[in-house]
Amino acid sequence: MLKNFYGSIAFTVVALILAGALGFYQNGGTAAAVLQMLFLASVLGIMETSLSLDNAVVNASILKNMDPVWQRRFLTWGILIAVFGMRIIFPIMIVSISAMVTPWEATRIAIMDHELYESIVTKAHVGISGFGGAFLMLVGLNFFFDEDREHHWLGVIERPLASLARIPFSPYIVTALLIGGLSFLVHGEEQKTFLIAGLSGVATFFAVQKFGDWIGGGETDHTGAVVRTGAGGFIYLEFLDASFSFDGVIGAFAITNDIILIALGLGIGAMFVRSMTIALVRGGHLAQFRFLEAGAFYAIIALASIMLLSIRLHIPEVITGLIGAIIIGVSLWVSIDHKKRFPQEYAEDGDAQIILPTGEVVSDQPTQPANEKNRLDI
């Protein structure tokens, strides 16, 4: 298990050294400045990791079904996009578009004028929350609005949601209505911005899904459910990672407004998410811990709800991270208990292979269909 985290640990050491050097350079070379930067980078890394526990589980649930070539590409190119694209380029593009300046000027503002950079990105919060919240809400609802799911964790909630799948485009309808209702929490230009951003998130999710189907990225598994493979799965995961990173990028300003330090700290978290994803697939935990995946999608819906409500309510990032961690922790505990009670349901029934960037082939062990009378409903 630990060897899956060697790369993340090495990256963390390098990132902390760079953070210390940044403090040394910016603040006259004092030991206090270096220690402060090390502390802030560590806090950012912990915050991003805690906020992304559900991201790792969902990534693993999609990754284990992907073509080995695209698995490797996501674990290499994908992490570069996650660390540098979303943690550095994305905030600069926000500044460029919001302030109507060139990307070069936006870069200068981000590096040289931290207060102006923070002000511009923070003002874009309503739009970011609308887009990211809508996209993540659809990710969560599409999981639960599925009549073909074999295993339910909270049956009293999930069975009615599954029945709504009979209505065409039901996840999109629910999300659009939610965006429309929440738009009344803000007024004027902010209301317009939220509506446009939220509906753009809905449209983007639909486009990504359809594009994945068009290029052959959607296939069916043994249950008849659609799984993402190949280029379609890669694109879907990149948009998913982007949506997860929105709250971290905005939340980082509660700690610092230094873009370089934010990139280093959030990059540490992104690397640990990658390691957790590999560990989950390599260990076959999604199959052995039956309700862990459902817990992750509940956490996604909780995160999406918090993002959408943040247009009016300020919810500290520590609360957001704790909610996700608690939901996943409870689902893990319930999964372990269920495995002890019904070990016969976890017999091996074929392996789903994953090829890691090193070329090593590992496998995930899906479960056999559960007997209906042994389904765990709470």
Side-chain angles (χ1 to χ4, degrees), residues 241-304:
D241 267 356
S243 299
F244 271 107
S245 69
F246 289 156
D247 61 325
V249 171
I250 297 297
F253 288 112
I255 299 171
T256 180
N257 56 15
D258 189 319
I259 186 175
I260 298 177
L261 184 60
I262 289 174
L264 291 172
L266 299 187
I268 292 172
M271 288 297 295
F272 272 96
V273 170
R274 175 185 181 275
S275 294
M276 286 188 289
T277 299
I278 295 175
L280 285 169
V281 179
R282 166 176 281 188
H285 298 307
L286 292 180
Q288 297 303 306
F289 301 141
R290 178 165 295 175
F291 307 111
L292 184 61
E293 188 176 6
F297 280 97
Y298 275 117
I300 285 177
I301 290 179
L303 174 59

Side-chain angles (χ1 to χ4, degrees), residues 75 134 146 150 161 164 196 223 292 297 299 325 362:
L75 293 171
D146 181 3
E150 292 183 273
L161 292 180
L164 291 176
I196 293 174
T223 69
L292 184 61
F297 280 97
V362 296

Side-chain angles (χ1 to χ4, degrees), residues 15 32 36 39 49 55 76 81 120 125 132 147 166 189 200 218 227 229 236 249 260 277 279 287 336 351:
Q36 181 184 30
F39 174 75
T49 302
N55 191 8
T76 51
I81 295 172
I120 294 172
H125 172 70
E147 290 185 288
R166 301 169 189 170
E189 282 299 314
S200 295
V227 296
T229 62
Y236 179 75
V249 171
I260 298 177
T277 299
I336 294 173
D351 294 341

Side-chain angles (χ1 to χ4, degrees), residues 20-57:
L22 181 66
F24 185 87
Y25 172 76
Q26 290 183 344
N27 298 287
T30 65
V34 172
L35 291 175
Q36 181 184 30
M37 286 297 197
L38 289 175
F39 174 75
L40 293 178
S42 300
V43 170
L44 285 167
I46 293 170
M47 180 192 75
E48 180 71 357
T49 302
S50 64
L51 287 172
S52 301
L53 290 174
D54 44 2
N55 191 8
V57 178

Side-chain angles (χ1 to χ4, degrees), residues 129 132-138 299-309:
S129 297
F135 192 94
L136 288 178
M137 184 62 70
L138 277 166
I300 285 177
I301 290 179
L303 174 59
S305 301
I306 289 172
M307 288 185 69
L308 294 173
L309 290 172

Side-chain angles (χ1 to χ4, degrees), residues 194-205:
F194 179 74
L195 280 170
I196 293 174
L199 295 177
S200 295
V202 173
T204 300
F205 184 89

